[in-house]
Amino acid sequence: MTPKQIVEQFYNYNLAQDKEAIHSFHKDCKIHWNSSKGLTVLDYSMLKTIIEDIQKAYLNFCYKLTHSISENETVCVRYTIFATTIEYPSKEVALGHFISIVEVKDNKIFKIFQISHEADNSLTNMSSF
C-alpha cells in the first residue's frame, strides 16, 4: 500500500467499533496535537488508551475526509470527526475539525502533526468541509 492508502485506511475506520485501528500505528509513533487546550503529545500506549475509551463511550466515531494530499511518505488530510454517543444513539454530532500532516514509516503511521478546533454545526461552517 502507498502511504496515502495507509493513512486513508485509518481515517476510514470507525474507532468505536474497529479493533484493528490501533494496528495502523507504528509502536514508536508520536502524535503532536495542537488544540484549544494547547499542545498534547501522545505515544502508542496513550493512543491505545484513548481508542479503548472511545470504544466504551461511543457507538460510532468516524472521520469524514474532505482532502487528502500526499508527497512521498507524508500525507496531509483535512477531516471532521462525527460521533454517536451511547446516551443519544439517534443523534450524530460533529466533534471537531482537523488538519493533520501524517508521516508513514515501515507501512505504519509514525508521526502526526495536527491542529483542531471544536466543531461548529452551523450550516455555513459544515458546508465548508
Side-chain angles (χ1 to χ4, degrees):
M1 288 179 31
T2 67
K4 186 174 182 179
Q5 291 170 324
I6 290 166
V7 170
E8 288 178 351
Q9 178 181 338
F10 170 74
Y11 287 105
N12 282 320
Y13 280 123
N14 178 343
L15 286 190
Q17 298 176 9
D18 292 316
K19 304 294 184 191
E20 297 300 312
I22 190 64
H23 302 297
S24 299
F25 288 86
H26 194 283
K27 296 286 186 185
D28 296 323
C29 72
K30 292 280 186 214
I31 299 173
H32 304 262
W33 179 8
N34 283 288
S35 70
S36 60
K37 297 187 182 340
L39 176 65
T40 302
V41 179
L42 305 168
D43 63 13
Y44 185 88
S45 65
M46 296 163 82
L47 180 62
K48 185 175 181 187
T49 299
I50 289 171
I51 292 173
E52 289 168 353
D53 290 345
I54 287 170
Q55 292 173 345
K56 292 175 189 170
Y58 294 95
L59 295 175
N60 293 298
F61 191 97
C62 301
Y63 304 92
K64 180 183 176 192
L65 280 174
T66 59
H67 295 78
S68 178
I69 302 167
S70 66
E71 181 177 300
N72 301 321
E73 303 298 310
T74 303
V75 182
C76 182
V77 289
R78 179 180 183 232
Y79 55 93
T80 299
I81 295 176
F82 291 90
T84 306
T85 64
I86 292 168
E87 292 83 4
Y88 298 102
S90 62
K91 185 176 181 182
E92 182 179 70
V93 295
L95 298 181
H97 304 296
F98 291 74
I99 292 181
S100 299
I101 300 169
V102 183
E103 294 179 11
V104 175
K105 178 180 173 183
D106 302 329
N107 293 316
K108 302 275 186 180
I109 295 172
F110 182 61
K111 287 185 183 173
I112 300 177
F113 302 92
Q114 68 186 19
I115 189 166
S116 67
H117 64 88
E118 189 175 339
D120 169 351
N121 289 316
S122 71
L123 182 58
T124 303
N125 192 22
M126 292 308 290
S127 66
S128 75
F129 278 82

